[in-house]
Amino acid sequence: MPLDEIAPLLDLIRGAPVPGSIAELRATLPAFATILNDGLPDVARFDPAVPVAPGVTADVLVPSGTPPFPTLVYLHGGGWSICSPATHAKLTRQLCLGARAVVVSVDYRLAPEHPFPVPYEDCLAAARWTREHAARFGGDGSRLAIGGDSAGANLAAAVIEALGPALGVRAALLFYGAFDVAASRRDYRRWSPVDDPILPESTMHRMLEAYVSGGAALDDPRLSPLFGDVGAFPPACLVVGTADPLYGESLAMHEKLRAAGRRAELHRFADMPHAFVQLPGLTEAAEAVRVASAFLRRELG
């Protein structure tokens, strides 16, 4: 489907008042989630809000079929400050069904109430929990992938750099990640001459400021995984639209992985904005989910 076929939706988003605070952004989520989750597919089993660490829960989704299933830890986007497993319910269900995998969709704590490194540490804990407890839900913790979108892809890459070999992580799924927070600020207009409809520049800056408000060096690899050690990174699938202000960061991460001799595939979708994989009715979104699911099936067995 050409992007102009969802132009009315994008125009509606552009025409809405730009929220002036994180609280105002959060207030828009119920209506936005209704749009993103239209046509929610069924899974065989759904366990909401399973405790995985102090203050941290996860929704666990299980496909039909005979276990054990491979397992995906999924970390939602939203600038480390908004969104939840509920806003990503359709996408995680699509991946559960497409990859035939148990999906652990993590509800990590959010900034500014919980700035860096709290969300990162929550995701470390959730990954460790999943490796140990996946079998409770029919998952095989030895066939483990970690993935996410946007801020969630940032967290996924950082967790893999820290724990990948220890947990035996076999695949990384990275949708339009923010891998270098300084570049996210610096290069917005390089890749998006006008405001991205989903991620306006002022909104992105507000989210970044909330996440780093506890104090952090911008080149800390826990914050900006592009600066981390990728020498043991598992096979990676990167998905990004060419009209995404974070486009360059996927290019840079892909280049770094390849330079380190790691297996990495980059799937670019022409003229797609940020978060396009969740936009309803897009052929490109369906293709991205298909590509991601096929990658997970191939790498996890």
Side-chain angles (χ1 to χ4, degrees), residues 243-280:
D244 190 323
L246 303 185
Y247 175 57
E249 295 177 56
S250 286
L251 299 183
M253 179 59 85
H254 178 253
E255 181 179 342
K256 178 163 184 170
L257 290 168
R258 295 294 297 272
R262 311 313 297 166
R263 271 202 295 132
E265 54 190 66
L266 175 64
H267 299 273
R268 291 177 268 205
F269 288 79
D271 302 322
M272 290 295 107
H274 193 65
F276 78 92
V277 175
Q278 289 186 268
L279 293 180

Side-chain angles (χ1 to χ4, degrees), residues 121-133:
E121 292 172 345
D122 286 351
C123 294
L124 291 176
R128 293 188 182 102
W129 180 92
T130 300
R131 181 67 173 84
E132 183 177 350
H133 295 283

Side-chain angles (χ1 to χ4, degrees), residues 74 77 88 91 148-154 173-179 199 237-241 244 246-247 249-250 272-279 288:
Y74 195 84
H88 287 61
L91 176 57
D149 61 285
S150 193
N154 163 286
L173 176 61
L174 306 172
F175 292 117
Y176 28 80
F179 302 119
L199 185 62
C237 175
L238 295 94
V239 174
V240 68
D244 190 323
L246 303 185
Y247 175 57
E249 295 177 56
S250 286
M272 290 295 107
H274 193 65
F276 78 92
V277 175
Q278 289 186 268
L279 293 180

Side-chain angles (χ1 to χ4, degrees), residues 203-251:
T203 297
M204 186 193 70
H205 282 247
R206 185 172 293 112
M207 291 172 165
L208 286 171
E209 289 164 5
Y211 190 43
V212 303
S213 61
L218 298 188
D219 61 354
D220 184 328
R222 299 172 301 162
L223 181 70
S224 295
L226 187 63
F227 296 98
D229 180 0
V230 299
F233 215 86
C237 175
L238 295 94
V239 174
V240 68
T242 62
D244 190 323
L246 303 185
Y247 175 57
E249 295 177 56
S250 286
L251 299 183

Side-chain angles (χ1 to χ4, degrees), residues 118-166:
V118 174
Y120 165 75
E121 292 172 345
D122 286 351
C123 294
L124 291 176
R128 293 188 182 102
W129 180 92
T130 300
R131 181 67 173 84
E132 183 177 350
H133 295 283
R136 284 173 46 191
F137 306 91
D140 181 353
S142 70
R143 291 188 289 156
L144 181 65
I146 300 179
D149 61 285
S150 193
N154 163 286
L155 292 164
V159 168
I160 288 170
E161 289 173 0
L163 289 181

